[in-house]
Amino acid sequence: MRTGLSFVKMHGAGNDFVVLDTRTHALALTQAQATRLADRRIGVGCDQIILIEPDDTADAFMRILNADGSESGACGNATRCVAALLAAETGTRSLTIRTNAGPLPAVIKGPNVVEVDMGKPRLDWDEIPLSEPMDTLFLRLAMGPVENPAACSMGNPHATFFVDDLKNLPLATIGPALELARIFPERANIGFAKIEAPDRIRLRVWERGAGLTLACGSGACAALVNAHRRGLASRRAEIEMDGGILTITWRETDGHVLMEGPVATVFEGHLSPELLPA
């Protein structure tokens, strides 16, 4: 017999989510419940938990909880996954999903391919935010073999280090330390990018509140924006991550960043009531 709350396990280029539709039944997860649900051994397992909530100004509101239970402002891969779910439900190919970072328009581009408009990157130090005024193109930050990242906000704070060698970086050591660096009052997503060509970037990301992930949509956007600002890449590039490839375009006409990539449904299920104790 099926009991408990239904969910869908999805991923975008390996960035995986537990998606809960709470449009008709409100659900407020505590931090402890969220971390248990996201745990890959005792829960379902995911990088982020996604709550689809009702919204009067958009097709839905998307609430994003990181694996550590903290709330995030934006998640591009999750937006694409939710857009695919809602499009299958309604038959529409264009819709808007509101987040804490603002409304994100999405378009179904093909079977299991979704593009989302992530809006304009925020480039001023207080918009990211940083702890003090400084040049966001070259932050005064170094750790181990990396230094002087560029920073921007894609609805959440990002710092991108440009490196020649990704394979030998001690990401598990420097990632969490950089996430918590004093310069980032709200912590930060830390990207490590290798420029392979003006239209090709290899990227790994230590996500704020989730750790090293197979893909990070907003991190891919930040990498392209920061690389172009540095004169290292064009305005359109394929961003190759451990879990797949996203195509990122920083549109010159209005400054918006577009992200296109794959979405996949892994399985559907029902949460045991014992998984989310009060």
Side-chain angles (χ1 to χ4, degrees), residues 146-151 157-163 166 169 171 174-175 178-179 184 188-194 201-208 212-213 216 218-220 222-223 226 241:
V146 299
E147 62 181 356
N148 304 128
H158 288 270
T160 309
F161 290 90
F162 295 98
V163 301
L166 274 175
L169 282 180
L171 299 186
I174 63 177
L178 288 166
E179 174 192 348
F184 305 121
N189 299 280
I190 309 298
F192 304 91
K194 180 182 179 182
I201 299 172
R202 179 76 173 93
L203 178 69
R204 302 192 75 190
V205 179
W206 181 274
E207 275 202 66
R208 177 182 65 165
L212 190 62
T213 56
C216 176
S218 59
N226 288 329
M241 292 168 287

Side-chain angles (χ1 to χ4, degrees), residues 62-235:
M62 184 179 77
R63 191 172 305 281
I64 308 153
L65 302 179
N66 292 316
D68 68 355
S70 61
E71 189 164 354
S72 181
C75 181
N77 283 323
T79 304
R80 294 189 303 102
C81 287
V82 170
L85 280 180
L86 296 180
E89 175 186 293
T90 63
T92 186
R93 297 184 65 85
S94 299
L95 58 160
T96 299
I97 298 167
R98 195 168 66 82
T99 70
N100 284 331
L104 300 178
V107 178
I108 309 303
K109 303 288 286 187
N112 301 315
V113 177
V114 180
E115 179 186 82
V116 60
D117 183 342
M118 296 291 289
K120 295 180 179 180
R122 299 162 193 170
L123 305 177
D124 292 338
W125 72 273
D126 56 342
E127 294 178 316
I128 291 170
L130 304 177
S131 59
E132 59 187 77
M134 66 180 69
D135 180 4
T136 63
L137 196 53
F138 291 93
L139 299 190
R140 299 187 297 272
L141 179 63
M143 185 167 295
V146 299
E147 62 181 356
N148 304 128
C152 70
S153 172
M154 291 304 310
N156 46 12
H158 288 270
T160 309
F161 290 90
F162 295 98
V163 301
D164 295 324
D165 179 14
L166 274 175
K167 293 181 180 179
N168 296 312
L169 282 180
L171 299 186
T173 301
I174 63 177
L178 288 166
E179 174 192 348
L180 299 171
R182 185 193 61 82
I183 195 175
F184 305 121
E186 297 179 5
R187 302 186 294 169
N189 299 280
I190 309 298
F192 304 91
K194 180 182 179 182
I195 306 299
E196 297 187 335
D199 61 354
R200 184 86 176 188
I201 299 172
R202 179 76 173 93
L203 178 69
R204 302 192 75 190
V205 179
W206 181 274
E207 275 202 66
R208 177 182 65 165
L212 190 62
T213 56
L214 293 179
C216 176
S218 59
C221 294
L224 185 281
V225 167
N226 288 329
H228 183 74
R229 293 170 69 208
R230 287 263 184 105
L232 302 174
S234 63
R235 282 185 170 267

